[in-house]
């Protein structure tokens, strides 16, 4: 038995931040990880997918700029670069970040065995102050007959494949499905995307899903909306039978239909909680009113985004240190980006969600490239910029931007939404010329300022 101030279950992005922040402040911290330190995002999601997408994005943008000669992608080199980004699935380079902060890393599966007690193999750890659950999430496989037996790809296989499949089927219409469909299409695969709903990116503004669908089609992806899988079989190739008739075949099948929390089998029952679902937390990230148990990242289901998990990790660490904390940027207020072509950056409410929340909401739209800066970036690329204004308070309740390389423009909107900056103050935040940030000026003018 060993004692620490804090025991963190999971060394993904959120767990690392909690452990490191507490270690920097002199607490004795143990973090337990059974897979790779750095978590899903570092090795099987955000980082490798962007490494695959970046050459595809750059080629598309270069083709919009007259005077450049644009050749074909060197696929083996792209994959080599992807492997560099994920350190060849070796987490040894991640370890000094923890050790430099005095954090003890234990390899193995962590299981709660009582209040402030965690078992790792044959060893029991006692947490004097707190236990933090940061076990993350796993890919969700829908209950389609034959699907599990067909050995489908999840994000893990789709981001680490050693070569492009000849024919790739994708089930799903969210960010993971869209990004990986675009990446592998750009690297030479014939891609068919099957989405059972009537639009892509269903949680975002309708125009975002429509523009992304058109962009995928331009990239050669066969996008089929209203296409729901009824049965899947594999006999060499993969065959998907669709509800209402029709089939489609491919060499590999990627399932990107959401995530499920890793809470089963971690001992929650030992402290009076049910395992298998998301852990409900309060605004200080405490679980079920327990002053010693916290949950951060995907495992609490509030915002399944790496940057939000890190944000929660910082707040949980501060709460453990005795500071008053409160989640302010969470759930629907979370900034989110889809690295498609066009890219989608959004924060806060859509018009529909604002109206559903009872706000007196108004949307104003302008063309993203409809300014001088648009002459140089994303020339003639589709894109829409929208502000959702809370008319009652005259603040921005949400924003959505679509366009070429628009992701970096999102942070200004995040500040406006989270800080609730009055529109009259935003009017005096003058955008530089000639940049695409002039979209803010055009939006405020469209509102009537």
């Amino acid at each position: 038995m060993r004692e620490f101030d804090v025991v963190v279950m999971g060394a993904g992005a959120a767990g690392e931040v909690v452990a490191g922040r507490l270690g920097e402040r002199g607490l004795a911290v143990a973090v337990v990880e059974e897979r790779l330190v750095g978590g899903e995002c570092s090795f099987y999601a955000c980082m490798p997918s962007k490494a695959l997408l970046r050459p595809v994005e750059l080629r598309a943008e270069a083709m919009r700029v007259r005077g450049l000669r644009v050749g074909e992608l060197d696929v083996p080199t792209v994959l080599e670069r992807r492997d560099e980004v994920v350190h060849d699935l070796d987490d040894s380079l991640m370890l000094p970040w923890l050790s430099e902060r005095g954090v003890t890393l234990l390899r193995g599966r962590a299981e709660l065995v009582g209040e402030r007690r965690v078992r790792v193999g044959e060893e029991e750890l006692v947490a004097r102050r707190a236990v933090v659950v940061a076990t993350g999430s796993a890919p969700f496989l829908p209950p389609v007959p034959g699907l599990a037996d067909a050995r489908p790809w999840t994000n893990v296989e789709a981001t680490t494949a050693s070569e492009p499949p000849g024919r790739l089927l994708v089930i799903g219409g969210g960010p993971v499905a869209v990004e990986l469909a675009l990446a592998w299409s750009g690297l030479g695969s014939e891609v068919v995307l099957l989405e059972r709903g009537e639009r892509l990116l269903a949680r975002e503004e309708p125009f975002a899903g429509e523009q992304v669908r058109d962009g995928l089609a331009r990239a050669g992806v066969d996008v089929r909306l209203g296409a729901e899988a009824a049965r899947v079989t594999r006999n060499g190739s993969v065959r998907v039978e669709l509800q209402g008739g029709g089939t489609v075949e491919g060499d590999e099948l990627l399932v990107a239909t959401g995530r499920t929390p890793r809470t089963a089998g971690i001992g929650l029952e030992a402290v009076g909680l049910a395992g298998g679902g998301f852990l409900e937390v309060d605004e200080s990230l405490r679980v079920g009113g327990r002053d010693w148990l916290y949950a951060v990242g995907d495992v609490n289901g509030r915002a399944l985004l790496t940057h939000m998990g890190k944000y929660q990790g910082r707040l949980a660490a501060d709460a453990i240190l005795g500071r008053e904390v409160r989640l302010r940027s969470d759930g629907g207020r979370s900034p989110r980006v889809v690295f498609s072509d066009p890219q989608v950056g959004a924060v806060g409410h859509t018009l529909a969600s604002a109206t559903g929340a009872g706000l007196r909401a108004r949307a104003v739209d302008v063309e993203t490239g409809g300014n001088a800066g648009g002459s140089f970036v994303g020339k003639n690329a589709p894109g829409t910029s929208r502000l959702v204004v809370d008319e009652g308070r005259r603040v921005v309740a949400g924003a959505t931007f679509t366009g070429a390389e628009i992701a970096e423009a999102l942070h200004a909107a995040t500040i406006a939404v989270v800080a609730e900056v009055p529109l009259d103050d935003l009017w005096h935040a003058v955008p530089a010329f000639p940049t695409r940030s002039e979209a803010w000026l055009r939006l405020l003018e469209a509102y009537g300022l």
Side-chain angles (χ1 to χ4, degrees):
M1 183 179 294
R2 278 199 279 177
E3 288 193 6
F4 295 87
D5 291 317
V6 178
V7 176
V8 181
M9 301 169 62
E16 279 187 308
V17 168
V18 176
R21 193 171 179 87
L22 293 173
E24 286 174 339
R25 285 151 180 81
L27 270 63
V29 182
V31 61
V32 186
E33 178 55 61
E34 64 174 333
R35 289 175 289 272
L36 293 171
V37 173
E40 194 100 348
C41 180
S42 296
F43 295 100
Y44 301 115
C46 317
M47 297 302 290
S49 65
K50 304 313 171 282
L52 294 173
L53 278 164
R54 185 58 176 156
V56 176
E57 291 175 332
L58 282 176
R59 185 174 186 273
E61 176 64 7
M63 292 178 71
R64 299 183 186 110
V65 181
R66 294 177 62 183
L68 290 178
R69 293 183 179 179
V70 183
E72 296 301 313
L73 293 178
D74 183 342
V75 175
T77 302
V78 171
L79 297 179
E80 286 176 11
R81 173 58 181 152
R82 183 271 320 270
D83 292 342
E84 290 177 6
V85 167
V86 299
H87 309 302
D88 294 309
L89 303 181
D90 177 0
D91 66 358
S92 60
L93 291 176
M94 309 293 231
L95 307 188
W97 191 91
L98 291 172
S99 62
E100 289 165 3
R101 288 159 177 78
V103 176
T104 299
L105 171 65
L106 294 146
R107 299 281 190 175
R109 182 175 179 79
E111 181 182 357
L112 283 162
V113 291
E115 184 173 326
R116 294 183 171 85
R117 290 161 47 218
V118 177
R119 184 169 59 218
V120 184
E122 300 300 318
E123 186 173 19
E124 188 169 312
L125 311 179
V126 176
R128 290 183 289 264
R129 292 199 189 187
V131 174
V132 182
V133 181
T135 47
S137 64
F140 171 73
L141 290 183
V144 177
L147 178 59
D149 295 331
R151 305 187 303 281
W153 278 6
T154 64
N155 61 287
V156 173
E157 293 79 13
T159 56
T160 57
S162 59
E163 61 182 6
R167 300 171 300 166
L168 176 64
L169 308 181
V170 180
I171 294 179
V176 175
V178 163
E179 290 182 358
L180 290 173
L182 179 62
W184 287 115
S185 174
L187 295 175
S189 298
E190 294 181 12
V191 180
V192 178
L193 186 148
L194 307 170
E195 163 54 30
R196 68 178 183 175
E198 294 305 317
R199 63 187 178 98
L200 301 179
L201 306 178
R203 296 182 180 181
E204 303 300 344
E205 297 283 8
F207 68 78
E210 292 166 4
Q211 291 175 10
V212 168
R213 177 199 62 200
D214 293 343
L216 287 172
R218 287 192 299 273
V221 177
D222 181 358
V223 179
R224 304 188 188 184
L225 302 179
E228 183 171 1
R231 175 176 291 277
V232 178
T233 56
R234 180 186 281 275
N235 185 13
S237 61
V238 183
R239 179 184 177 93
V240 178
E241 300 174 24
L242 302 176
Q243 297 280 4
T247 61
V248 60
E249 291 192 17
D251 299 304
E252 298 292 350
L253 169 65
L254 165 61
V255 179
T257 53
R259 310 284 296 181
T260 185
R262 287 192 170 106
T263 54
I266 65 170
L268 291 170
E269 296 79 5
V271 295
L273 295 167
F278 291 106
L279 290 174
E280 186 174 346
V281 296
D282 63 18
E283 290 192 341
S284 297
L285 285 309
R286 294 183 177 93
V287 179
R290 293 160 175 81
D291 63 359
W292 61 274
L293 185 62
Y294 296 75
V296 297
D298 284 10
V299 75
N300 65 36
R302 293 181 72 108
L304 277 67
L305 297 163
T306 298
H307 47 279
M308 298 312 294
K310 291 183 175 183
Y311 165 65
Q312 292 175 9
R314 293 191 293 272
L315 289 186
D318 288 350
I320 292 168
L321 290 165
R323 301 171 184 171
E324 289 293 325
V325 302
R326 179 174 63 88
L327 283 166
R328 292 187 59 191
S329 179
D330 195 29
R333 300 185 95 182
S334 306
R336 50 209 185 263
V337 175
V338 184
F339 290 84
S340 46
D341 187 18
Q343 290 181 350
V344 179
V347 62
H349 281 293
T350 63
L351 179 59
S353 70
T355 302
L359 300 182
R360 185 159 57 90
R362 173 187 168 194
V364 290
D365 297 350
V366 299
E367 184 183 347
T368 298
N371 52 58
S375 301
F376 311 111
V377 180
K379 179 70 172 176
N380 297 323
T384 301
S385 296
R386 165 173 288 186
L387 295 185
V388 176
V389 176
D390 179 349
E391 295 274 66
R393 296 181 299 149
R394 284 178 63 83
V395 298
V396 180
T400 299
F401 303 95
T402 64
E405 301 189 1
I406 204 66
E408 294 295 340
L410 183 61
H411 192 54
T414 302
I415 293 170
V417 170
V418 174
E420 299 180 342
V421 181
L423 291 179
D424 292 326
D425 290 340
L426 284 175
W427 176 248
H428 294 284
V430 181
F433 180 90
T435 69
R436 289 191 297 167
S437 294
E438 280 198 306
W440 282 91
L441 175 59
R442 301 292 172 250
L443 284 163
L444 294 171
E445 288 176 336
Y447 181 75
L449 292 179

